Amino acid sequence: MIKYALSAALAAILSAAAPAQANTLVVDGTLFRQAGGTTFDVWKINMQTAGSFSVNLAAYEAAQNNVATAGYATADLNGDGELTWLDPDTHWYLDDGSATLSAANHLARCDDIANNCAMVSNGTINLTSQSQAQGAADGSIHFRRDPAFDISLAAGAYQYVIADYRLTDAEAAAGINSGDTFSAPGGYVDPILDYADYRITFSSDTLNFARSGNTITVSQVPLPGAFWLFGSAVAGCSLRTRRKTAAA
């Protein structure tokens, strides 16, 4: 009887512990054109524990002759009724707490899917580009410009940088993508070139994502409440068994 109760409790826990889908966080951002170039965004990533997750970026809202069907295709990422053209260049840095980005802390770059996105593997970071089909899962319409990759990070503080193509180490340190402008494909009338939108999707089967401002805290998925109920059940069954044995 005790064995059956434990088996039933364990089955309940396994059912409760299996998530229906990966834990996902979606964040939106906008880069702007200024007199000296274009801005870039820095997302602080606080890894409370080592772990792996996927990053999928959607930014190039319109494409020409780089999609499955001929002509134009569009994807209004944030539903604002506008189309913008950000060719994203993304970078990972260690976060040493300083106000500027240092080339010495640069860990990896992922510009396009399977292009300017070299695989990196060491004790701090492991990054591998996804396929174009995987990258298109977030609604990306461009042939490969929107990067998508799988990444593993050791516990610690990092910075994920979103910029327009191309951001150099010197520009990152200076805080401006010098001389850069957003460029639309030919054929558009009065294209929006003063700013550009993007959307990042973080997802994992084993990690939680919590956002506060520009800081994303990454932690382990907590054990479900059923786990602690199971522990109580095991303890109770064990205690009853000992009492029964003593009485006998």
Side-chain angles (χ1 to χ4, degrees), residues 9-215:
L10 180 58
I13 288 169
L14 293 176
S15 176
Q21 59 183 11
N23 187 20
T24 300
L25 173 68
V26 178
V27 298
D28 291 327
T30 301
L31 305 185
F32 299 90
R33 186 177 68 179
Q34 297 182 342
T38 58
T39 63
F40 58 84
D41 284 349
V42 178
W43 293 92
K44 292 182 175 292
I45 310 295
N46 176 19
M47 296 291 296
Q48 293 188 341
T49 181
S52 302
F53 54 95
S54 297
V55 179
N56 200 339
L57 185 64
Y60 205 82
E61 292 190 316
Q64 178 186 21
N65 299 327
N66 282 313
V67 290
T69 57
Y72 292 92
T74 60
D76 185 0
L77 298 178
N78 52 15
D80 62 0
E82 300 174 338
L83 296 175
T84 60
W85 292 270
L86 171 63
D87 181 4
D89 188 17
T90 73
H91 300 259
W92 284 89
Y93 288 80
L94 284 173
D95 185 1
D96 62 4
S98 64
T100 59
L101 295 168
S102 168
N105 291 331
H106 189 267
L107 295 173
R109 176 189 180 211
C110 192
D111 170 38
D112 299 332
I113 288 180
N115 178 57
N116 294 327
C117 187
M119 184 176 69
V120 178
S121 181
N122 54 53
T124 301
I125 180 174
N126 291 278
L127 185 148
T128 305
S129 176
Q130 292 185 355
S131 68
Q132 293 173 5
Q134 290 172 305
D138 64 350
S140 292
I141 60 171
H142 198 276
F143 183 65
R144 67 181 184 186
R145 284 188 181 177
D146 290 344
F149 53 87
D150 298 314
I151 188 170
S152 298
L153 293 170
Y158 302 87
Q159 297 180 95
Y160 182 42
V161 176
I162 312 295
D164 188 48
Y165 183 85
R166 179 183 184 220
L167 185 72
T168 67
D169 287 337
E171 291 167 336
I176 187 73
N177 199 351
S178 303
D180 184 64
T181 58
F182 303 120
S183 57
Y188 281 88
V189 177
D190 296 325
I192 297 170
L193 300 177
D194 291 332
Y195 57 88
D197 301 319
Y198 67 87
R199 171 166 292 169
I200 318 170
T201 301
F202 300 90
S203 60
S204 174
D205 291 319
T206 59
L207 298 174
N208 272 332
F209 302 94
R211 176 188 172 186
S212 177
N214 72 330
T215 298

